[in-house]
Amino acid sequence: MMENQEECIVLLDNGSLRPDSVRSLRRIAAELEGRIGKKVHPVSLLHSSKIPAEDLDGQEAATWRRFLRKSIEEGVVRFRVVPLFFGPSSAVVDYMPKVTAEVAAKHGAASVEVAGTLIDPARENEDGIAVLLRDLLIRNLDTVSLDGVVLVDHGSPLPEVAACRDLVGRQLAELLKTPAGGLIASSMERREGEEYDFCEPLLERALGFAKDRGWKRVALSQLFFSPGRHAGPGGDIAQIVADSELVREGGEVLFAPLVGESPMLADLLEQRYREAFGASS
Protein backbone atom coordinates (compact mmCIF):
# COMPACT_ATOMS: atom_id res chain seq x y z
CA MET A 1 0.00 0.00 0.00
CA MET A 2 1.04 3.61 -0.59
CA GLU A 3 2.42 5.61 2.32
CA ASN A 4 -0.07 8.38 1.47
CA GLN A 5 -3.38 7.33 -0.01
CA GLU A 6 -4.22 10.86 -1.14
CA GLU A 7 -1.08 11.88 -3.03
CA CYS A 8 1.66 10.14 -4.96
CA ILE A 9 4.82 11.77 -6.33
CA VAL A 10 6.39 10.12 -9.36
CA LEU A 11 9.70 10.57 -11.15
CA LEU A 12 8.92 9.40 -14.67
CA ASP A 13 11.38 8.41 -17.39
CA ASN A 14 10.86 6.84 -20.80
CA GLY A 15 12.00 3.36 -19.77
CA SER A 16 14.59 0.85 -20.88
CA LEU A 17 15.21 -2.88 -21.13
CA ARG A 18 18.57 -2.41 -19.39
CA PRO A 19 18.75 -2.97 -15.61
CA ASP A 20 21.35 -0.22 -15.17
CA SER A 21 18.85 2.32 -16.48
CA VAL A 22 16.28 1.31 -13.88
CA ARG A 23 18.88 1.43 -11.12
CA SER A 24 19.84 4.92 -12.26
CA LEU A 25 16.21 6.06 -12.18
CA ARG A 26 15.82 4.66 -8.67
CA ARG A 27 18.93 6.44 -7.45
CA ILE A 28 17.84 9.78 -8.93
CA ALA A 29 14.37 9.37 -7.39
CA ALA A 30 15.96 8.75 -4.00
CA GLU A 31 18.06 11.91 -4.40
CA LEU A 32 14.98 13.97 -5.28
CA GLU A 33 13.14 12.41 -2.34
CA GLY A 34 15.86 13.59 -0.03
CA ARG A 35 15.48 17.15 -1.28
CA ILE A 36 11.72 17.48 -1.11
CA GLY A 37 11.22 15.34 2.00
CA LYS A 38 8.48 13.20 0.43
CA LYS A 39 8.38 9.71 -1.05
CA VAL A 40 9.21 9.71 -4.77
CA HIS A 41 8.27 6.67 -6.84
CA PRO A 42 10.55 5.81 -9.80
CA VAL A 43 8.31 4.86 -12.74
CA SER A 44 8.92 4.36 -16.47
CA LEU A 45 6.48 4.96 -19.30
CA LEU A 46 7.42 1.77 -21.14
CA HIS A 47 9.70 -1.27 -21.39
CA SER A 48 11.20 -1.55 -17.90
CA SER A 49 8.65 -4.00 -16.51
CA LYS A 50 9.99 -6.59 -18.98
CA ILE A 51 13.26 -6.80 -17.02
CA PRO A 52 13.28 -9.85 -14.72
CA ALA A 53 12.96 -8.85 -11.07
CA GLU A 54 16.01 -10.94 -10.21
CA ASP A 55 18.08 -8.54 -12.34
CA LEU A 56 16.79 -5.64 -10.25
CA ASP A 57 17.61 -6.81 -6.74
CA GLY A 58 14.30 -8.67 -6.59
CA GLN A 59 12.18 -5.56 -7.11
CA GLU A 60 10.22 -5.40 -10.36
CA ALA A 61 10.38 -2.11 -12.25
CA ALA A 62 7.19 -0.04 -12.39
CA THR A 63 5.64 1.21 -15.64
CA TRP A 64 3.09 4.01 -15.77
CA ARG A 65 -0.04 2.13 -16.88
CA ARG A 66 0.32 -0.62 -14.30
CA PHE A 67 1.52 1.72 -11.55
CA LEU A 68 -1.33 4.17 -12.11
CA ARG A 69 -3.96 1.42 -12.15
CA LYS A 70 -2.65 -0.21 -8.98
CA SER A 71 -2.35 3.12 -7.18
CA ILE A 72 -5.93 4.15 -8.05
CA GLU A 73 -7.17 0.78 -6.84
CA GLU A 74 -5.34 1.42 -3.56
CA GLY A 75 -7.14 4.73 -3.12
CA VAL A 76 -4.66 7.28 -4.46
CA VAL A 77 -6.53 10.20 -6.01
CA ARG A 78 -3.76 12.73 -6.75
CA PHE A 79 -0.53 12.25 -8.67
CA ARG A 80 2.28 14.74 -9.10
CA VAL A 81 4.67 13.76 -11.87
CA VAL A 82 8.18 15.11 -12.39
CA PRO A 83 9.34 14.12 -15.89
CA LEU A 84 12.91 12.91 -16.27
CA PHE A 85 12.93 14.28 -19.81
CA PHE A 86 15.00 17.04 -21.34
CA GLY A 87 12.29 18.49 -23.58
CA PRO A 88 8.57 18.17 -24.35
CA SER A 89 8.75 14.88 -26.22
CA SER A 90 5.66 13.11 -27.53
CA ALA A 91 6.09 10.55 -24.74
CA VAL A 92 5.23 13.23 -22.19
CA VAL A 93 2.93 15.42 -24.25
CA ASP A 94 0.89 12.73 -26.01
CA TYR A 95 1.50 9.16 -24.84
CA MET A 96 1.39 9.67 -21.09
CA PRO A 97 -1.93 11.62 -21.14
CA LYS A 98 -3.42 8.97 -23.45
CA VAL A 99 -2.48 6.15 -21.07
CA THR A 100 -3.70 8.17 -18.10
CA ALA A 101 -7.10 8.74 -19.70
CA GLU A 102 -7.44 5.05 -20.59
CA VAL A 103 -6.65 3.92 -17.06
CA ALA A 104 -8.91 6.52 -15.47
CA ALA A 105 -11.82 5.49 -17.71
CA LYS A 106 -11.57 1.89 -16.48
CA HIS A 107 -10.40 2.22 -12.89
CA GLY A 108 -11.56 5.60 -11.60
CA ALA A 109 -10.72 9.24 -12.05
CA ALA A 110 -7.56 10.72 -10.58
CA SER A 111 -5.87 14.10 -10.70
CA VAL A 112 -2.52 13.93 -12.53
CA GLU A 113 -0.39 17.08 -12.51
CA VAL A 114 2.83 17.17 -14.52
CA ALA A 115 5.81 19.47 -13.89
CA GLY A 116 7.80 20.99 -16.72
CA THR A 117 10.61 19.21 -18.50
CA LEU A 118 14.19 20.18 -17.71
CA ILE A 119 14.75 22.34 -20.79
CA ASP A 120 12.34 24.98 -22.09
CA PRO A 121 13.39 26.78 -25.31
CA ALA A 122 11.21 29.72 -24.28
CA ARG A 123 13.39 30.28 -21.20
CA GLU A 124 16.69 31.07 -22.87
CA ASN A 125 18.19 32.59 -19.73
CA GLU A 126 17.77 29.32 -17.84
CA ASP A 127 20.96 27.32 -18.32
CA GLY A 128 20.86 24.65 -15.61
CA ILE A 129 21.44 21.69 -17.92
CA ALA A 130 24.26 23.48 -19.75
CA VAL A 131 25.93 24.26 -16.41
CA LEU A 132 25.55 20.61 -15.43
CA LEU A 133 27.13 19.45 -18.70
CA ARG A 134 30.02 21.87 -18.30
CA ASP A 135 30.62 20.57 -14.79
CA LEU A 136 30.68 16.95 -16.04
CA LEU A 137 33.21 17.88 -18.71
CA ILE A 138 35.51 19.93 -16.51
CA ARG A 139 35.48 17.55 -13.54
CA ASN A 140 36.05 14.38 -15.54
CA LEU A 141 38.08 15.28 -18.63
CA ASP A 142 41.26 17.15 -19.46
CA THR A 143 39.48 19.96 -21.28
CA VAL A 144 42.64 22.03 -21.75
CA SER A 145 43.96 19.73 -24.47
CA LEU A 146 40.66 19.37 -26.33
CA ASP A 147 40.23 20.55 -29.89
CA GLY A 148 36.46 20.75 -29.61
CA VAL A 149 33.23 19.39 -28.15
CA VAL A 150 30.41 17.41 -29.73
CA LEU A 151 27.04 17.47 -27.99
CA VAL A 152 24.65 14.61 -28.80
CA ASP A 153 21.02 13.94 -27.95
CA HIS A 154 18.74 11.10 -29.02
CA GLY A 155 17.03 12.96 -31.85
CA SER A 156 13.31 13.68 -32.06
CA PRO A 157 10.62 14.09 -34.71
CA LEU A 158 9.50 17.23 -32.84
CA PRO A 159 11.23 20.54 -33.64
CA GLU A 160 10.48 21.71 -30.09
CA VAL A 161 12.75 18.98 -28.73
CA ALA A 162 15.49 19.71 -31.26
CA ALA A 163 15.28 23.35 -30.18
CA CYS A 164 16.14 22.22 -26.64
CA ARG A 165 19.32 20.55 -27.91
CA ASP A 166 20.29 23.63 -29.90
CA LEU A 167 19.66 25.96 -26.96
CA VAL A 168 21.82 23.85 -24.64
CA GLY A 169 24.51 23.69 -27.32
CA ARG A 170 24.68 27.49 -27.53
CA GLN A 171 24.70 27.83 -23.76
CA LEU A 172 27.38 25.18 -23.29
CA ALA A 173 29.61 26.80 -25.92
CA GLU A 174 29.32 30.12 -24.08
CA LEU A 175 30.06 28.53 -20.71
CA LEU A 176 33.10 26.69 -22.06
CA LYS A 177 34.21 29.81 -23.92
CA THR A 178 34.89 27.72 -27.01
CA PRO A 179 35.98 29.60 -30.15
CA ALA A 180 33.46 29.95 -32.97
CA GLY A 181 32.64 26.49 -34.28
CA GLY A 182 34.26 24.81 -31.28
CA LEU A 183 31.08 22.97 -30.33
CA ILE A 184 28.89 20.92 -32.66
CA ALA A 185 25.37 19.96 -31.53
CA SER A 186 24.15 16.68 -33.03
CA SER A 187 21.57 13.91 -32.78
CA MET A 188 22.08 10.17 -32.57
CA GLU A 189 19.27 9.40 -35.03
CA ARG A 190 16.48 10.98 -37.08
CA ARG A 191 13.50 10.10 -39.24
CA GLU A 192 13.69 10.04 -43.01
CA GLY A 193 12.42 13.05 -44.95
CA GLU A 194 13.34 16.68 -45.43
CA GLU A 195 10.81 17.71 -42.80
CA TYR A 196 13.12 16.22 -40.16
CA ASP A 197 16.29 17.97 -41.27
CA PHE A 198 16.20 20.01 -38.06
CA CYS A 199 17.79 16.98 -36.36
CA GLU A 200 20.98 17.39 -38.38
CA PRO A 201 23.79 16.88 -38.09
CA LEU A 202 23.70 13.28 -36.99
CA LEU A 203 26.50 12.22 -34.65
CA GLU A 204 28.39 10.39 -37.38
CA ARG A 205 28.34 13.53 -39.55
CA ALA A 206 29.31 15.74 -36.61
CA LEU A 207 32.36 13.58 -36.01
CA GLY A 208 33.14 13.87 -39.71
CA PHE A 209 32.96 17.66 -39.42
CA ALA A 210 35.30 17.48 -36.44
CA LYS A 211 37.79 15.44 -38.48
CA ASP A 212 37.57 17.88 -41.40
CA ARG A 213 38.36 20.73 -39.01
CA GLY A 214 41.50 18.94 -37.91
CA TRP A 215 40.26 18.00 -34.47
CA LYS A 216 42.25 15.15 -32.97
CA ARG A 217 40.93 15.14 -29.42
CA VAL A 218 37.20 15.60 -28.98
CA ALA A 219 34.94 15.55 -25.93
CA LEU A 220 31.50 13.98 -26.30
CA SER A 221 28.86 15.61 -24.10
CA GLN A 222 25.74 13.44 -23.92
CA LEU A 223 22.14 14.55 -23.37
CA PHE A 224 21.23 11.15 -21.96
CA PHE A 225 20.31 10.43 -18.36
CA SER A 226 21.23 6.78 -17.91
CA PRO A 227 23.03 3.88 -19.55
CA GLY A 228 20.87 1.81 -21.88
CA ARG A 229 20.58 0.68 -25.46
CA HIS A 230 21.82 4.03 -26.76
CA ALA A 231 24.19 5.52 -24.18
CA GLY A 232 26.70 3.80 -21.95
CA PRO A 233 29.01 0.82 -22.52
CA GLY A 234 28.20 -1.13 -25.67
CA GLY A 235 25.46 1.28 -26.69
CA ASP A 236 24.64 2.76 -30.08
CA ILE A 237 26.59 5.94 -29.41
CA ALA A 238 29.75 4.07 -28.49
CA GLN A 239 29.44 2.09 -31.73
CA ILE A 240 28.90 5.21 -33.85
CA VAL A 241 32.00 6.77 -32.32
CA ALA A 242 34.08 3.62 -32.82
CA ASP A 243 33.02 3.43 -36.48
CA SER A 244 33.75 7.09 -37.21
CA GLU A 245 36.60 8.09 -39.51
CA LEU A 246 37.84 10.40 -36.77
CA VAL A 247 38.57 7.45 -34.48
CA ARG A 248 39.61 5.01 -37.21
CA GLU A 249 42.23 7.52 -38.37
CA GLY A 250 43.75 7.99 -34.93
CA GLY A 251 41.55 10.63 -33.35
CA GLU A 252 40.33 10.35 -29.78
CA VAL A 253 36.81 10.86 -28.44
CA LEU A 254 36.50 11.28 -24.67
CA PHE A 255 33.10 10.47 -23.22
CA ALA A 256 31.78 12.75 -20.50
CA PRO A 257 29.63 11.02 -17.86
CA LEU A 258 25.88 10.84 -18.43
CA VAL A 259 23.58 13.48 -16.98
CA GLY A 260 22.15 11.08 -14.40
CA GLU A 261 25.57 10.81 -12.77
CA SER A 262 25.63 14.49 -11.83
CA PRO A 263 24.67 15.51 -8.28
CA MET A 264 23.29 18.70 -9.84
CA LEU A 265 20.44 16.85 -11.55
CA ALA A 266 18.38 16.38 -8.39
CA ASP A 267 18.61 20.13 -7.72
CA LEU A 268 17.14 20.87 -11.16
CA LEU A 269 14.38 18.30 -10.66
CA GLU A 270 13.56 19.82 -7.27
CA GLN A 271 13.32 23.21 -8.96
CA ARG A 272 10.80 21.86 -11.48
CA TYR A 273 8.85 20.18 -8.68
CA ARG A 274 8.56 23.35 -6.63
CA GLU A 275 7.76 25.52 -9.66
CA ALA A 276 4.85 23.24 -10.52
CA PHE A 277 3.53 22.34 -7.11
CA GLY A 278 4.55 25.19 -4.84
CA ALA A 279 7.56 25.95 -2.66
CA SER A 280 5.92 24.43 0.41
CA SER A 281 4.64 21.27 -1.34
Side-chain angles (χ1 to χ4, degrees):
M1 298 290 284
M2 295 288 178
E3 291 82 353
N4 184 334
Q5 294 301 307
E6 297 181 351
E7 177 182 292
C8 177
I9 300 168
V10 171
L11 180 66
L12 186 78
D13 75 352
N14 193 58
S16 172
L17 294 175
R18 302 287 181 94
D20 283 348
S21 181
V22 176
R23 293 191 186 96
S24 175
L25 175 66
R26 290 174 176 176
R27 176 180 49 76
I28 297 166
E31 291 174 359
L32 177 59
E33 183 176 306
R35 283 163 173 76
I36 67 174
K38 294 185 177 183
K39 175 66 179 176
V40 177
H41 297 268
V43 181
S44 297
L45 269 175
L46 293 162
H47 310 306
S48 300
S49 59
K50 297 177 183 177
I51 302 172
E54 54 265 31
D55 293 340
L56 294 170
D57 306 314
Q59 182 182 356
E60 185 182 48
T63 48
W64 179 241
R65 184 185 297 274
R66 187 181 303 175
F67 180 85
L68 183 62
R69 181 182 70 240
K70 184 173 183 291
S71 300
I72 291 174
E73 290 172 349
E74 291 180 351
V76 182
V77 297
R78 187 180 190 187
F79 297 82
R80 289 176 161 177
V81 178
V82 180
L84 190 63
F85 286 80
F86 292 108
S89 74
S90 58
V92 176
V93 175
D94 296 322
Y95 182 73
M96 181 198 170
K98 177 184 175 182
V99 171
T100 301
E102 290 173 354
V103 172
K106 291 183 179 180
H107 302 280
S111 169
V112 179
E113 303 168 87
V114 184
T117 54
L118 286 164
I119 305 170
D120 182 351
R123 302 164 76 169
E124 292 200 8
N125 293 327
E126 190 177 83
D127 62 356
I129 288 294
V131 170
L132 182 156
L133 293 174
R134 178 191 62 178
D135 182 73
L136 287 173
L137 286 166
I138 291 175
R139 288 182 180 274
N140 295 278
L141 304 180
D142 177 14
T143 55
V144 175
S145 63
L146 292 175
D147 295 315
V149 177
V150 173
L151 173 69
V152 62
D153 75 345
H154 181 279
S156 169
L158 299 180
E160 299 89 344
V161 178
C164 293
R165 177 204 72 180
D166 293 338
L167 172 60
V168 170
R170 293 193 299 271
Q171 293 172 335
L172 183 57
E174 292 174 3
L175 290 168
L176 292 172
K177 296 179 171 56
T178 61
L183 185 145
I184 305 171
S186 67
S187 292
M188 184 195 75
E189 63 184 23
R190 55 162 288 178
R191 291 186 182 179
E192 296 291 335
E194 293 181 359
E195 64 269 35
Y196 300 111
D197 283 353
F198 54 78
C199 284
E200 292 290 343
L202 291 178
L203 176 58
E204 59 192 83
R205 295 191 182 97
L207 294 171
F209 296 156
K211 172 182 167 294
D212 293 342
R213 295 176 187 180
W215 295 2
K216 299 293 187 185
R217 202 162 188 266
V218 178
L220 187 68
S221 181
Q222 304 173 82
L223 274 174
F224 287 82
F225 292 107
S226 304
R229 181 163 62 92
H230 302 310
D236 295 331
I237 290 175
Q239 191 60 54
I240 292 169
V241 170
D243 291 341
S244 68
E245 287 189 12
L246 174 68
V247 170
R248 288 191 283 111
E249 295 184 11
E252 185 179 13
V253 176
L254 307 177
F255 287 70
L258 301 176
V259 170
E261 298 179 42
S262 171
M264 299 172 66
L265 176 59
D267 295 331
L268 298 178
L269 292 168
E270 178 190 3
Q271 178 183 333
R272 286 292 183 260
Y273 172 85
R274 300 203 184 280
E275 285 173 353
F277 309 125
S280 61
S281 294

